[in-house]
Amino acid sequence: MSGLFGIFGKLAEKPATSDKPAVVASESHTRNLNALVLTEAQLLLAEKRTSFSSLRTGIAIFALPLSVLSVLIATSRNYDIFRVMPLLVPLIIINLGLIALAVYLICHSFRRIHHYDRLMADLKREHKNLAGFLD
């Protein structure tokens, strides 16, 4: 067992070759850091895009109960409200549930969008040289 550790230990302790000057290593590190920051910005923008699609879904869900209720109001003279009450009560309950879901999706989306905006602002503040690319 110690023989394997000795072999691997020697491999791990092998000194790095200094063929490249320190300046090239620093530039490589800077490029890697810039690539990492841009990748993080892409991830934040993708998450923000997902929040916008959730917002769009919430708005679409909100439009459905409103259109159903407007059709019921427009055609209310064609039926007796007391005769169709057993059908209207479940419909109104379903519509209230859809409205609650839509409001939740819209509010949650706005919170997430503002959260990602704050994270992007922090990223721009930390990396001023990349702020032009992140706008």
Side-chain angles (χ1 to χ4, degrees):
M1 194 67 157
S2 65
L4 288 176
F5 178 72
I7 293 171
F8 290 121
K10 288 179 184 176
L11 289 175
E13 294 175 9
K14 192 182 255 186
T17 58
S18 60
D19 294 343
K20 296 181 181 180
V23 173
V24 174
S26 175
E27 288 176 6
S28 174
H29 176 70
T30 303
R31 268 189 251 125
N32 288 340
L33 181 64
N34 289 346
L36 180 66
V37 170
L38 287 176
T39 303
E40 186 176 351
Q42 284 179 337
L43 176 67
L44 289 174
L45 291 173
E47 292 289 337
K48 189 175 176 181
R49 187 176 60 235
T50 302
S51 294
F52 276 119
S53 95
S54 177
L55 176 67
R56 186 178 60 232
T57 302
I59 292 169
I61 290 174
F62 191 74
L64 180 68
L66 293 178
S67 63
V68 168
L69 289 176
S70 66
V71 167
L72 287 176
I73 291 170
T75 60
S76 63
R77 63 187 167 139
N78 296 334
Y79 58 85
D80 182 27
I81 190 121
F82 297 110
R83 287 185 58 206
V84 294
M85 188 61 73
L87 299 174
L88 285 179
V89 171
L91 181 67
I92 290 174
I93 291 172
I94 290 172
N95 283 343
L96 289 175
L98 286 173
I99 289 172
L101 175 64
V103 168
Y104 168 76
L105 284 174
I106 291 170
C107 291
H108 183 71
S109 296
F110 276 128
R111 278 193 313 228
R112 299 308 299 168
I113 289 168
H114 289 300
H115 173 71
Y116 294 129
D117 283 341
R118 282 192 304 272
L119 289 177
M120 283 295 288
D122 291 344
L123 196 63
K124 288 177 192 177
R125 212 175 14 259
E126 289 175 13
H127 305 282
K128 292 193 184 296
N129 57 343
L130 296 175
F133 295 115
L134 300 177
D135 281 333

